[in-house]
């Protein structure tokens, strides 16, 4: 049997018609109509339970609201990260930046010790652990209870982070890099973000190709969800991410963002990381990654309007401020 894909038409305008349904439990984004198609984009009749599935709430972690976009603050502990440069290397500096993000309203912190930007070199695991685990330990020792995500493709790095108190794993390779990561996440029982990439960080920007990027990313993520489940990971613990910039041209990124709401049919919370990325520079003519805040906010609000549940961003205070206004203006009752 071929998989039908259901695409809710996401809206935020008010007032809502009587038949409006929440998109993935959102208090802000709703749909009235959905389209069904097969993988060749031939129109089909929607499955009977599709609207219920698309409307269902998808909690990310206990204690975090399930009806609004969450802000995930990026805490790079890498000397070569493309937007933070060498300044971010010092662990003490990472702890300071993490605390500032929490003060600014971050819901989750994403700690990473390996740059996965295009062309980046591999980091030895011992070094990746030395960059990340002590930062998590320091935050927990300071009494910070906010959920922490470890951004890694490697089981030993994730294990060290979870021991120090991390709550979830963010794997940009969606369990294709390290065969030990799936079993580890299953055993730990923590949420896992599966991100789509075509190729590896070294090769991904060399001529990425798709026949239909939206459908192919969808089907690839569906397959990775099945692979995660085969490791014993609970389907309800999975988060999905189309992987903006990971083996994608400008056109691929734009197509994925315009059609982001299709990803809700995977039945998992949708995470989006677009902050300061190259396509923002390309579309706006802003060369410097650190000067791409306005474009990053525009994309964050677009993703919120598509029902994205987690926005992974560098500029937490500004994103929280933009979302506060977006929430006020899209909520049915004040
Ligand atoms: C992403 C990520 C993303 C997820 C990076 C950067 C490059 N993890 N890690 N999604 N990007 N889940 O931050 O620009 O888009 S590293």
């Amino acid at each position: 049997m071929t998989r039908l894909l259901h695409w809710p038409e996401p809206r935020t305008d008010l007032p809502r018609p009587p038949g409006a349904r929440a998109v993935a439990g959102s208090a802000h984004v709703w749909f009235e109509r959905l389209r069904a198609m097969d993988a060749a984009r031939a129109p089909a009749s929607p499955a009977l339970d599709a609207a219920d599935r698309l409307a269902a709430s998808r909690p990310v972690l206990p204690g975090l609201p399930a009806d609004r976009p969450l802000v995930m603050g990026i805490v790079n502990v890498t000397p070569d990260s493309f937007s933070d440069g060498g300044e971010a290397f010092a662990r003490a500096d990472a702890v300071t930046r993490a605390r500032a993000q929490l003060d600014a309203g971050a819901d989750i912190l994403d700690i990473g010790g390996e740059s996965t930007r295009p062309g980046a070199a591999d980091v030895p695991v011992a070094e990746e652990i030395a960059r990340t685990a002590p930062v998590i330990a320091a935050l927990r020792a300071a009494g910070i209870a906010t959920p922490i995500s470890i951004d890694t493709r490697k089981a030993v790095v994730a294990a060290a982070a979870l021991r120090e108190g991390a709550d979830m794993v963010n794997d940009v390779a969606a369990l294709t890099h390290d065969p030990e990561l799936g079993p580890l996440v299953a055993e730990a029982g923590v949420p896992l973000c599966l991100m789509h990439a075509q190729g590896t960080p070294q090769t991904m920007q060399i001529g990425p190709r798709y026949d239909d990027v939206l459908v192919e990313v969808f089907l690839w993520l569906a397959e990775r969800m099945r692979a995660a489940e085969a490791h014993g990971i609970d389907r309800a613990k999975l988060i999905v991410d189309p992987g903006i910039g990971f083996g994608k041209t400008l056109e691929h990124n734009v197509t994925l963002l315009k059609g982001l709401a299709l990803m809700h049919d995977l039945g998992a919370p949708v995470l989006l990381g677009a902050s300061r990325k190259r396509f923002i520079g390309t579309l706006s003519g802003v060369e410097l990654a650190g000067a791409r805040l306005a474009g990053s906010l525009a994309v964050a609000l677009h993703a919120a309007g598509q029902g994205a549940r987690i926005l992974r961003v560098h500029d937490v205070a500004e994103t929280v401020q933009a979302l506060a206004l977006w929430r006020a203006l899209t909520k049915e009752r004040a």
Side-chain angles (χ1 to χ4, degrees), residues 89-311:
F89 186 61
R91 294 196 290 258
D93 183 44
V95 174
T96 305
R97 284 181 291 119
R99 298 188 78 128
Q101 293 190 351
L102 293 177
D103 291 344
D107 297 294
I108 305 171
L109 296 173
D110 191 36
I111 316 264
E114 177 195 43
S115 173
T116 43
R117 75 193 161 123
D122 259 339
V123 178
V125 284
E127 192 167 335
E128 200 181 331
I129 293 171
R131 289 177 185 177
T132 50
V135 171
I136 298 167
L139 291 169
R140 291 300 183 232
I144 289 163
T146 304
I148 292 176
S149 156
I150 175 73
D151 183 352
T152 187
R153 303 179 291 164
K154 297 165 194 163
V156 288
V157 178
L162 293 171
R163 264 197 303 279
E164 298 299 350
D167 303 274
M168 64 173 272
V169 175
N170 173 23
D171 178 11
V172 299
L175 303 181
T176 64
H177 181 77
D178 182 346
E180 302 300 322
L181 186 56
L184 175 91
V185 170
E187 170 71 25
V190 294
L192 169 69
C193 179
L194 299 168
M195 194 198 78
H196 175 274
Q198 186 179 90
T200 63
Q202 283 77 28
T203 62
M204 64 193 183
Q205 288 310 107
I206 307 169
R209 275 191 61 94
Y210 305 84
D211 289 326
D212 185 331
V213 67
L214 199 53
V215 169
E216 283 171 55
V217 167
F218 179 98
L219 293 174
W220 189 91
L221 287 170
E223 188 274 318
R224 297 318 298 159
M225 291 177 78
R226 288 192 293 274
E229 280 188 289
H231 282 297
I233 301 170
D234 182 358
R235 173 164 277 265
K237 294 262 161 77
L238 297 174
I239 296 161
V240 292
D241 179 344
I244 296 299
F246 284 78
K248 279 117 189 161
T249 63
L250 169 65
E251 198 185 356
H252 296 145
N253 290 320
V254 169
T255 301
L256 286 167
L257 287 165
K258 286 179 175 170
L260 191 62
L262 174 64
M263 301 299 156
H264 295 304
D265 200 20
L266 291 163
V270 174
L271 186 153
L272 191 87
S275 183
R276 301 185 186 175
K277 283 186 178 170
R278 162 125 309 271
F279 82 101
I280 295 175
T282 308
L283 284 175
S284 62
V286 175
E287 189 49 40
L288 223 64
R292 296 177 189 153
L293 170 61
S296 300
L297 293 175
V299 179
L301 293 182
H302 167 80
Q306 293 277 311
R309 288 296 322 286
I310 306 175
L311 303 172

